[in-house]
Amino acid sequence: MEKSIIKSQAQSRRTFAIISHPDAGKTTLTEKLLLYAGMVRTAGIVGRRKSQKAASSDWLALEQERGISISASAMQFHYKDVVINVLDTPGHQDFSEDTYRTLTAADCAVMVIDASKGVETQTEKLFKVCRLRGIPILTFVNKMDLPAKDIFDLLSELEEVLGINASPINWPIGSGKQFIGVANCESHQITIFEKSESGGAQRAVAKTCSVEEALASKLITEEQKNTLTDELELLEVAGNPFSRESFLACEITPVFFGSAMTNFGIEPFFDDFAKFAPAPGPRPANLDNGDEILVDPVNDPFSAYVFKIQANMDPKHRDSMAFLRVNSGFFERDLSVRHPNSKKDVRLSRSHSMFGGERTTVDQAFPGDIIGVVNPGLFKIGDTVSTNGGFSFKPMPQFSPEVVAQVRPKDINKKKSFDKGVEQLGAEGAVLVLRRRGSVATENLIAAVGKLQFEVMQHRLESEYNVKTALDLLPYNGGAWLIGDPDKFNPPSSTLLAEDLKGRPILLYSQNWEREFALRQNEGYELVDFLQ
Ligand code: G4P
């Protein structure tokens, strides 16, 4: 494949994830992206009514039983002149580490905020991960058709809670029932939307003009004009000017306002998203000798890494799929690649991508793309594959768990399969397998971000390893990785010092103050939430 083609293809890619607290409107926004991209004629394919809210990625039987989507996938489609890869990062209350890992495959993120609620807990957590990974974030303040918080207060909240400067790109004209459009903060052109009969199932009809023109043609009232002029003036004095460099450096988040439900403000947002969001850039990696390199998306041959593994996607085929994010070069179906951990050459067969729950075969892929391939039992989360081998991308960050349990086989004769299952699911990253430090007992401690991960694990141990398990939750609801010599660390009596299978120490605690207390008692140590 010619470099110029790889370059233009890579530059057209916008690979991103939407992060939000449940109910802020992520599904609705995704759906509207599909509507405006011309992928669906009427909105309604991704999110259905709440009672049967299945998304595009409900593969596991368990997911279907619960009627929610707990695993991430990606969808690809064209929006005007860019190619969108949208990663599905479920924002369910009980979400898993998958969501965090999926974010590593994104080049940027869209943070959806409910205008009446402001920054909520899940958003805050996901935001932190993006920040940590240097993933630039655009903010979409949704549900402007409902009574909203004061906009200036909302912007201050973003800055105070998240510690990022907010730079409004457009400004809402009114809110709640009076929300009629948005003004561009730079050009001061305004876009007024017409309320439609379709209730948002069709694109919104809009007119863009100057404030004066809008007033003359009675699209806005004198009062609306005055309020808008005052607010834009205040913003000019007090606001943060937008610069793409500061956005890419995660120092600033461009903010947009709208209503995903009525489609007001949706198209101006998507258009700017396509302009602002970065194309795939170079990714840091380490040569086998440890030297650091940057892998260039265009000039380097094919490379990708595994950010997600999913077994039993299709109950009829008991196959396990590895999801790869392409970082450089060109992928062709059945490409042979080097798998550095095993030093084997592997053929990437049956590659596919997803759209609305349907698998489509992928014949070609470019930097930024996500492909699912059959996992010959070789791939683990974080693995690098490339045509030339000899290097690995930075390992996946390891997050600290929030729930801990002890798990055992109900039938002791199944111990061998159980051990194998736990080890494999641990290696896959489905749960974090821990052991008590310094203990000879062979109990199995497992930890996760949400309890749902335990259910998934039990379900998989039963269906894939034929082992029924019993699980006892332990009274720890926080964990932090210990930086410092674990042998000299003196954990408070109510906490537990454990380690993962790589021997990395982690302190499990039930109250936040125990963590602080542990640090006060042990000078020179650090407790961190993420291991990079
Ligand atoms: P999520 O994926 O972030 O969890 O949120 P989702 O899009 O499912 O939206 C949650 C609820 O908020 C849905 O209502 C949805 O229709 C509504 N919603 C989303 N965007 C807007 C908006 O801009 N304005 C208003 N007023 N509502 C919005 P639901 O009643 O839970 O489900 P449904 O019956 O409408 O599907």
Side-chain angles (χ1 to χ4, degrees), residues 404-418:
V404 186
Q406 202 166 326
V407 63
R408 60 191 155 77
K410 280 189 176 159
D411 177 354
I412 196 66
N413 295 323
K414 294 272 171 75
K415 179 88 170 76
K416 223 168 145 191
S417 314
F418 168 81

Side-chain angles (χ1 to χ4, degrees), residues 23-28 50 53 142-143 145-146 259-261:
D23 273 354
K26 186 167 71 75
T27 315
T28 314
K50 198 160 208 165
K53 190 194 258 180
N142 192 29
K143 303 200 186 182
D145 58 300
L146 296 176
S259 157
M261 193 176 82

